[in-house]
Amino acid sequence: VQLQASGGGLVQAGGSLRLSCTASGFVFEDYAIGWFRRAPGKEREGVSCINNSDGNRFYADSVKGRFTVSSDIAENTSYLQIDSLKPEDTAVYYCAAHPRVAYVKALCLGYYGMDYWGEGTQVTVSS
């Protein structure tokens, strides 16, 4: 089983990035994907989650309207489109997988232990 996150980088405030999370070793459609971030000195935050089976999505209030999560089942890949980046978005971003859930909000809020985690990708936003 493998999850590989990529797409991070250094961008100016107001810019955009698209993060990718490519999965292998499990039936992607049967899982939910969570995108989490950890900023220096802060707790891990679930920013967006998606059930691959039905497309239900959740966004944290801190990113609503700026982040868009999606999944390409055929490509076994989830994407996190990040627009209107702010310096406070600077963090290491991780993707993680859990079997489909009834409420993706609960997944992002940490009520489930994720089955698989990918290595993080650094996003740095300069002001």
Side-chain angles (χ1 to χ4, degrees):
V1 172
Q2 187 173 17
L3 286 173
Q4 182 65 51
S6 61
L10 172 63
V11 296
Q12 289 189 327
S16 297
L17 283 173
R18 189 175 80 155
L19 308 184
S20 300
C21 175
T22 301
S24 62
F26 60 92
V27 182
F28 191 66
E29 186 174 9
D30 291 341
Y31 276 69
I33 299 296
W35 285 92
F36 299 83
R37 67 185 181 187
R38 187 187 295 273
K42 293 188 177 181
E43 296 285 323
R44 187 178 67 199
E45 177 187 17
V47 296
S48 186
C49 294
I50 181 170
N51 249 345
N52 288 337
S53 59
D54 58 19
N56 282 339
R57 297 165 171 82
F58 168 80
Y59 297 96
D61 288 343
S62 57
V63 307
K64 202 171 293 183
R66 301 186 299 117
F67 287 25
T68 304
V69 66
S70 62
S71 284
D72 184 331
I73 304 300
E75 296 295 325
N76 280 6
T77 300
S78 178
Y79 300 98
L80 187 67
Q81 177 69 37
I82 308 175
D83 298 317
S84 302
L85 275 158
K86 303 176 181 180
E88 52 263 43
D89 293 321
T90 294
V92 179
Y93 285 72
Y94 301 87
C95 60
H98 186 281
R100 68 167 72 94
V101 295
Y103 301 105
V104 288
K105 177 180 180 178
L107 196 70
C108 265
L109 294 181
Y111 287 95
Y112 296 92
M114 305 302 285
D115 279 17
Y116 311 119
W117 286 89
E119 293 188 7
T121 186
Q122 176 72 47
V123 172
T124 303
V125 184
S126 62
S127 56

